[in-house]
Amino acid sequence: MSGPARGFPPEDADEDRDLVDRARRGDQEAFRRIVEKYERRVRGLVWGLVGDRSDAEDVAQEAFLRAFRSLSSFGGRSSFRTWLFQIALNAARTHRQSRRSRLQPEAVDPADLERAPETGSVEQGLIARDRLRRALGQLPADMREAVLLRDVEGFEYREIAELLDIPIGTVESRIFRGRARLREALAAQTIPET
Amino acid sequence: MDHSTTRSPGACDEYVDLLARSVDGVLTETERVRLDAHAASCAACRQALADQQLIRTSLSEALSLDASPAFVARVLSQLPESGRWFDRLDFRRLTWRLSPVAAGLALAAAFVVATGQPTVTDAAGPDSIPPAALSFDEVIESSDMVTLLWQAEGGQVEAGGNGEGEVIP
Ligand SMILES: [Zn+2]
C-alpha cells in the first residue's frame, strides 16, 4: 500500500480516543493498532524533516516510544493525532539540532527511476522523487514543516496552525513560500553542472 | 517571519493566502472568483499558481512509503512489559550488572576492617571515588538500565509545553 496521505476521515478521532483509553490501561494491542495506523504518515513526515531515510526510521520509532511513555499525560485538549505529530515534530527537531544535519543527497533508489515521470515536461509531470527530496533539504525548517504537514500529511490549515502554534495566516504564508522555494530549488537543479 | 522569495517573484503579496489554498481546493466561491479575476490579468500569479500545484502534487509522491510491519514490530519490541516499573526491574540482570560494584564494596569493607581506616585500594588514582564512599543511590544512578526504566515510567524527562496546556514530550 502506498500513495499520498490525504487528510483524515472524521471517524478517526473517535477511534483514536478509544485506542488511547485502552492503551493507557495497559492494552498493548491497542497501542499496536495506533502504531499500525500512523506509522506510514509519521515515517513519511520524519523522512521529509530529517532527510536521511535510516535516521528517519530511528526518529519515528523514538516518537512512538515517547508517545507511549507519555500517554498518561495526554489530556485530550487537542486531538490525539495532532499530539502524536507534535511529538514527531519535536523528535525530528531534536535530531536536527543534535546532528545539525543538512539533508544529504541520498543514493538514488532504482525504484525511483522506474517511477519517474514517463511523459510530459518537468512543468507538467511529476518530479523525480530524489530531486524533490534534495530540494527539501534546502528549505528553512519552519517552511519545511508547514509544507510537509499540508502536502504529505494532508492536515487542514487550522490543524497545522495548532500543530505549529502559529496563526493561520502564517501557515498560509509558509506553505506558499515553501512551495515556491522548492520550485525554485528544483529549477536550479535542472541547470546542467559543468 | 519574513522569508523573501523566490521563483514566484512577482506573485502579489495580497494573494499569497489564496494562491496557497487554491491548489488545496479549499477556497470559498467568493475567493475563487476573486483569484480567477486577478490571475486572468497577472502572469506572475498564474506562474505562482502553477508552481504551487506542481509541488503539491509531487511532494506526497516523493515521500510516500509503504506500510512497514517490520517498523511496527520494532517499536512494539521496545515497549516495556506491562506492569509497574518495580515489577519490570529485572533483578537477575541488575544483580549481574552490579556484581563488580558489590565485589568492590566487599573488598573495601574487608580492607577497612583489616587496616582500621578507609583507603583507596585500586589503581585508578587519587581522584577516584573510594568504593566505600559510593552510596546506594549513586550505585543505582550509575545503572543506565535503571535510568531507562525510570524514563520509561515517567516520560516527563524531556517534556515541554505547546502553549495549549497539552504536554508534548
Ligand atoms: Zn498577481
Side-chain angles (χ1 to χ4, degrees):
Chain A
M1 184 176 81
S2 84
R6 280 282 169 265
F8 304 86
E11 66 273 17
D12 260 24
D14 292 337
E15 186 192 20
D16 285 354
R17 250 190 304 278
D18 176 54
L19 289 172
V20 168
D21 282 348
R22 285 166 47 201
R24 269 176 171 165
R25 293 196 299 266
D27 181 347
Q28 290 208 356
E29 197 49 39
F31 190 71
R32 168 197 292 276
R33 175 73 194 109
I34 289 172
V35 179
E36 286 173 343
K37 183 173 177 179
Y38 287 110
E39 56 101 2
R40 275 185 68 222
R41 289 169 180 269
V42 169
R43 286 164 56 229
L45 173 69
V46 171
W47 184 18
L49 291 173
V50 307
D52 180 82
R53 178 81 177 270
S54 140
D55 283 359
E57 297 286 306
D58 292 343
V59 172
Q61 176 178 317
E62 170 60 20
F64 278 109
L65 293 175
R66 279 191 203 182
F68 179 83
R69 293 195 293 256
S70 306
L71 275 178
S72 60
S73 73
F74 171 63
R77 285 176 289 274
S78 61
S79 70
F80 172 74
R81 66 165 183 259
T82 301
W83 183 76
L84 175 65
F85 277 84
Q86 275 174 321
I87 293 173
L89 283 170
N90 280 356
R93 288 168 184 160
T94 304
H95 174 82
R96 283 174 55 79
Q97 282 161 6
S98 66
R99 288 281 309 274
R100 279 276 155 243
S101 59
R102 302 297 299 168
L103 214 134
Q104 300 296 317
E106 285 184 81
V108 177
D109 182 346
D112 280 349
L113 297 177
E114 288 166 22
R115 292 183 213 122
E118 313 82 22
T119 58
S121 69
V122 169
E123 296 292 332
Q124 295 160 344
L126 293 180
I127 296 161
R129 299 171 175 210
D130 64 301
R131 288 178 50 216
L132 192 47
R133 292 196 292 264
R134 263 200 298 274
L136 260 180
Q138 298 165 25
L139 210 58
D142 57 352
M143 290 185 194
R144 190 184 318 177
E145 290 177 354
V147 170
L148 289 172
L149 288 168
R150 176 58 230 165
D151 289 348
V152 177
E153 301 303 330
F155 277 103
E156 305 291 337
Y157 280 74
R158 56 168 180 76
E159 290 178 304
I160 298 171
E162 184 189 347
L163 265 158
L164 299 178
D165 200 17
I166 54 176
I168 201 159
T170 309
V171 174
E172 292 165 344
S173 163
R174 283 187 192 175
I175 289 175
F176 175 83
R177 296 183 199 290
R179 286 172 178 158
R181 279 211 184 184
L182 281 175
R183 185 67 191 89
E184 183 183 59
L186 286 169
Q189 282 182 24
T190 60
I191 297 169
E193 293 170 17
T194 51
Chain B
M1 185 170 304
D2 179 55
H3 298 282
S4 63
T5 39
T6 67
R7 189 190 137 91
S8 310
C12 304
D13 277 347
E14 62 269 38
Y15 286 93
V16 158
D17 58 333
L18 298 189
L19 289 167
R21 287 192 287 116
S22 170
V23 299
D24 294 309
V26 291
L27 291 187
T28 64
E29 186 56 28
T30 312
E31 289 172 330
R32 165 63 56 201
V33 168
R34 185 175 152 233
L35 180 61
D36 284 351
H38 172 73
S41 61
C42 180
C45 283
R46 283 201 303 277
Q47 179 62 56
L49 208 49
D51 291 347
Q52 295 284 305
Q53 184 65 62
L54 179 69
I55 296 302
R56 184 189 185 281
T57 313
S58 307
L59 203 52
S60 63
E61 271 290 305
L63 292 166
S64 85
L65 291 168
D66 291 334
S68 170
F71 177 85
V72 176
R74 202 149 59 91
V75 170
L76 295 174
S77 76
Q78 300 291 313
L79 298 185
E81 296 300 317
S82 54
R84 304 302 300 166
W85 72 270
F86 190 81
D87 300 325
R88 289 186 218 139
L89 274 176
D90 182 344
F91 278 107
R92 271 188 65 188
R93 195 167 152 219
L94 192 60
T95 304
W96 176 249
R97 292 180 59 141
L98 294 180
S99 59
V101 178
L105 286 170
L107 270 175
F111 193 84
V112 167
V113 167
T115 64
Q117 61 175 354
T119 312
V120 175
T121 59
D122 63 17
D127 289 337
S128 68
I129 300 167
L134 267 181
S135 70
F136 180 71
D137 282 349
E138 285 167 326
V139 172
I140 290 297
E141 278 174 15
S142 73
S143 161
D144 55 342
M145 188 180 84
V146 172
T147 306
L148 284 173
L149 282 166
W150 178 70
Q151 288 176 338
E153 180 62 22
Q156 304 295 334
V157 180
E158 301 164 73
N162 70 340
E164 299 255 312
E166 199 74 83
V167 173
I168 306 300

